Amino acid sequence: SQKIEQNSEALNIQEGKTATLTCNYTNYSPAYLQWYRQDPGRGPVFLLLIRENEKEKRKERLKVTFDTTLKQSLFHITASQPADSATYLCALDNRNSGYSTLTFGKGTMLLVSP
Amino acid sequence: DTAVSQTPKYLVTQMGNDKSIKCEQNLGHDTMYWYKQDSKKFLKIMFSYNNKELIINETVPNRFSPKSPDKAHLNLHINSLELGDSAVYFCASSQGTRAQFFGPGTRLTVL
């Protein structure tokens, strides 16, 4: 069966360090993968999209990698700040139904301590 | 200048009632969605509309009926509400299969 797994329920790191979040998937062949940020009581906010033929994508302090052989994406936040504390969701393109929809992982809660 | 808006933000109702949630986007997107986020925070697609046509209908009870009067609006009507319907419902929109823009959510509590 299809599965998306994001690492650990919560990740605690110190301000200034690099946070690395993992998204592993099985029984998918996504054409692209997206990362979203969700703050408590709010809707998810799009951060980055990476396509299957791209190994890496960067945006300011954010970096995403996509390894279709390992079936894994890594999401890095460098020089992390307390304001980066949120839940981060990975989402895969799912074409099983004939149309493309996103299937979301459960998310990883990141807590950056000052 | 809100991109995706939903009303109401909170909805508290009794079991068996019928209720509606409205969604509007001003981004000019051609695709709109309804998601349900349960207490375990799993965000699950319910419906997807492209240019006012239903294209995705996941295994959702037929008590849930989406309606898209035009490309900018996608409403969700729920009949005979049950306790298990309590969740946060998010509307989202996108242009094709690109980034999705989410609304603020509607927290539905069924008593």
Side-chain angles (χ1 to χ4, degrees), chain B residues 39-54:
Chain B
S39 56
K40 293 182 180 172
K41 305 299 182 190
F42 241 127
L43 192 63
K44 201 162 182 298
I45 183 79
M46 298 172 70
F47 301 103
S48 174
Y49 268 74
N50 180 265
N51 286 314
K52 292 171 38 180
E53 280 191 39
L54 179 66

Side-chain angles (χ1 to χ4, degrees), chain A residues 32 34 36 38 41-46 49 89 97 99-102 104-106, chain B residues 9 35 37 40-43 45 48 55-56 58 90 97-100 102-104:
Chain A
Y32 57 86
Q34 300 184 18
Y36 288 77
Q38 187 173 22
R42 293 178 174 264
V45 174
F46 171 76
L49 180 153
L89 307 165
S97 53
Y99 285 93
S100 185
T101 60
L102 285 183
F104 283 82
K106 212 170 167 177
Chain B
K9 188 158 173 63
Y35 286 88
Q37 190 168 45
K40 293 182 180 172
K41 305 299 182 190
F42 241 127
L43 192 63
I45 183 79
S48 174
I55 56 170
I56 298 289
E58 293 295 320
F90 286 102
T97 55
R98 299 192 191 108
Q100 292 189 14
F102 284 78

Side-chain angles (χ1 to χ4, degrees), chain B residues 26-41:
Chain B
N26 63 5
L27 297 166
H29 289 164
D30 60 4
T31 308
M32 295 185 73
Y33 312 82
W34 277 111
Y35 286 88
K36 178 180 180 180
Q37 190 168 45
D38 59 26
S39 56
K40 293 182 180 172
K41 305 299 182 190

Side-chain angles (χ1 to χ4, degrees), chain A residues 66-103:
Chain A
F66 192 11
D67 189 327
T68 54
T69 304
L70 288 179
K71 295 189 184 296
Q72 181 182 76
S73 175
L74 298 179
F75 178 79
H76 306 272
I77 306 175
T78 57
S80 58
Q81 304 164 1
D84 295 327
S85 299
T87 295
Y88 292 85
L89 307 165
C90 80
L92 299 183
D93 157 51
N94 183 0
R95 299 194 179 184
N96 282 350
S97 53
Y99 285 93
S100 185
T101 60
L102 285 183
T103 302

